Amino acid sequence: MTTVPALPLNDGHTIPQLGTGIWQVPAEITAAVVASAIETGYRLIDGAFIYANEAGLGDGVRQAGLPRDDLFITTKVWNSDQGRDKARAAVARSLEAMQLDYFNLVLIHWPCPTKNLYVETWQALIEMQQEGLMRSIGVSNFNADHIARIVDATGVTPALNQIEVNPRMQNTEVRAANAERGIVTQAWTPLGEGKSFDETAILGACARTGKTPAQVVLRWHIQLGNAVIPRATKQQHQAENLDIFDFALNDDEMAAIAALDRNARCGPDPRHFEED
Ligand SMILES: NC(=O)c1ccc[n+]([C@@H]2O[C@H](COP(=O)([O-])OP(=O)(O)OC[C@H]3O[C@@H](n4cnc5c(N)ncnc54)[C@H](OP(=O)(O)O)[C@@H]3O)[C@@H](O)[C@H]2O)c1
C-alpha cells in the first residue's frame, strides 16, 4: 500500500500530505465513498458542515473499520456559525453528526471580513483545542492580512491554511506568507476542474512519466510542499490520485507548470465572500 508522506504542523502534530475531500459528494453515497477511500489507502478525509454529508463521513469511517487514531478527520466552521457561542455549538454539532470524540483539525471556513467575527471565532477554536475537542486548529481562505490579525490578537498561529491552488490559480503570495509563518498550505480544488489538463506543460510531463494529467498536477503540488485533498467519487480516480509517489517532475516540468498561472480562480475571492 502507498505510504503518504506526513508533513509537520507547527503545533507538534503531523498531517498526511495527501488526503481526499468530500465537497459535493451526495449524502447518500458519502459513507461508501469515504469507506472506499480509506480502503484504497487514504487516511485524511476533508469534510465541512456546509457539505451536508457529515453523518456519511462518520459512517464511512466506521465502515472502513480502522482505529480512529489512524485517521485524520477535518471539519470547518461555516460562515453563519462564526462568533464564540455559535462556533462552539457548531463543533459540538459536527462531532455529534459524525459520532466522533474529536477532530484532528478544525478550520474557519472563510474569513468573511464584513462580519468581522473571525478573531472571536479563532479565540473559540483556541479554547476548544485546549479542551481536547480537536488536535489542531487552522483557517481556510485566509489572506496574509487576515492571518496577521488573528495572530496579533491571540498569539496563536494557525497550523494550516486551506486555500485554492491549482495550475491556473497558484496563489503564490498567500503560499509564501503561509510558509513565512510556518503554516502548512493545503490546496483545495487541486485539479482546477481539469482546465489545465490539455496544456503542453502537463501533456509533456505525462508523455515522459507515463502518468495521467491528474497525477502530474497532484505531483506538482507535492513537490511544491502543498498538502492536497483531491475529491474522487470513482474508486479508479481514488487509486490513481494516490499513485503519485513513485515518480518526480524535473525542474523544467515544474517551471513549465509554474508558467500556467493565470490568477484564474475556480471559487470565490476570500476578500468578498460572505455567503451564509
Ligand atoms: N475550503 C474551501 O473553501 C474549499 C473549497 C472547495 C473545495 N474544498 C475541498 O477541496 C476538495 C477538493 O476540491 P474539489 O472537490 O473542488 O475539486 P478537485 O478535487 O480538484 O476535483 C474533483 C473532480 O475531479 C475529478 N477527478 C478526481 N480525480 C480524477 C482523476 N484522476 N482524473 C480525472 N478526474 C478526476 C472528480 O471526479 P469523480 O468524483 O467522478 O471521481 C471530481 O469531478 C473538496 O472536496 C473539499 O474537501 C475546500
Side-chain angles (χ1 to χ4, degrees), residues 9-273:
L9 297 172
N10 60 20
D11 58 11
H13 294 290
T14 61
I15 184 169
Q17 194 173 6
L18 174 73
T20 189
I22 57 167
W23 179 46
Q24 292 183 327
V25 176
E28 60 277 15
I29 64 162
T30 299
V33 167
V34 167
S36 162
I38 294 170
E39 281 152 19
T40 305
Y42 292 85
R43 294 293 174 264
L44 184 156
I45 311 292
D46 181 75
F49 168 73
I50 199 66
Y51 302 164
N53 53 15
E54 287 189 310
L57 197 170
D59 288 344
V61 162
R62 280 177 290 281
Q63 271 177 37
L66 287 191
R68 170 69 184 88
D69 284 350
D70 289 0
L71 299 172
F72 191 108
I73 310 295
T74 302
T75 196
K76 312 185 190 85
V77 173
W78 184 240
N79 304 345
S80 53
D81 290 320
Q82 286 213 25
R84 179 178 180 275
D85 294 347
K86 285 186 179 176
R88 291 187 65 89
V91 169
R93 183 184 60 206
S94 290
L95 284 171
E96 170 72 21
M98 293 194 217
Q99 300 275 300
L100 296 177
D101 298 330
Y102 70 94
F103 289 113
N104 297 82
L105 177 65
V106 176
L107 308 177
I108 303 177
H109 208 144
W110 292 88
C112 303
T114 304
K115 283 188 200 296
N116 197 21
L117 285 171
Y118 64 84
V119 173
E120 187 183 316
T121 307
W122 183 241
Q123 278 158 338
L125 260 54
I126 295 167
E127 264 178 39
M128 287 186 279
Q129 182 187 29
Q130 285 163 354
E131 292 163 17
L133 298 180
M134 67 277 279
R135 304 271 198 263
S136 298
I137 54 177
V139 294
S140 178
N141 301 302
F142 273 45
N143 288 338
D145 58 323
H146 306 131
I147 291 183
R149 208 174 144 214
I150 59 173
V151 175
D152 289 351
T154 65
V156 179
T157 302
L160 177 145
N161 187 11
Q162 186 185 110
I163 56 172
E164 179 175 348
V165 187
N166 49 62
R168 287 163 51 86
M169 177 60 205
Q170 299 191 13
N171 233 332
T172 311
E173 277 178 33
V174 180
R175 284 196 289 116
N178 289 343
E180 225 167 85
R181 288 187 185 270
I183 298 170
V184 167
T185 294
Q186 191 178 49
W188 64 251
T189 310
L191 301 176
E193 298 172 348
K195 286 179 182 161
S196 60
F197 283 8
D198 58 358
E199 295 279 358
T200 310
I202 305 290
L203 293 176
C206 293
R208 187 187 66 79
T209 60
K211 294 288 182 175
T212 66
Q215 289 173 317
V216 164
V217 169
L218 292 172
R219 183 69 208 178
W220 167 77
H221 282 285
I222 297 292
Q223 288 182 217
L224 284 182
N226 297 338
V228 65
I229 45 170
R231 162 174 51 108
T233 51
K234 296 189 180 71
Q235 201 278 336
Q236 184 205 326
H237 285 159
Q238 292 177 341
E240 187 179 318
N241 297 346
L242 201 55
D243 184 20
I244 57 169
F245 298 102
D246 61 349
F247 78 112
L249 301 173
N250 61 35
D251 291 347
D252 290 346
E253 289 161 344
M254 290 296 288
I257 300 175
L260 297 178
D261 196 5
R262 301 285 178 272
N263 203 27
R265 293 179 190 275
C266 293
D269 184 329
R271 290 173 303 172
H272 310 300
F273 187 68

